[in-house]
Amino acid sequence: MAVLRPDDAGTTWVRINDDTHQWGWTGEVITGDPRVHGRVHLGTNGRGIQYAEPE
């Protein structure tokens, strides 16, 4: 399952995981970080919390 994020209001999308780093079910919790622009947090249903931010 690919987890994607947009950098330009949804025109293009960047994959933030890869086939080697699959996470648990990520559909339950996803939120933007109110303190860091562009950072998102994903709850992985028991496999920890992952985050991604623009490079």
Side-chain angles (χ1 to χ4, degrees), residues 27-46:
E28 288 291 322
V29 180
I30 183 170
T31 188
D33 190 320
R35 294 171 297 210
V36 180
H37 177 76
R39 182 183 287 172
V40 296
H41 296 270
L42 300 167
T44 59
N45 197 26

Side-chain angles (χ1 to χ4, degrees), residues 14-37:
V14 177
R15 187 171 180 179
I16 62 172
N17 71 338
D18 59 35
D19 292 335
T20 303
H21 300 94
Q22 294 294 309
W23 303 320
W25 168 244
T26 59
E28 288 291 322
V29 180
I30 183 170
T31 188
D33 190 320
R35 294 171 297 210
V36 180
H37 177 76

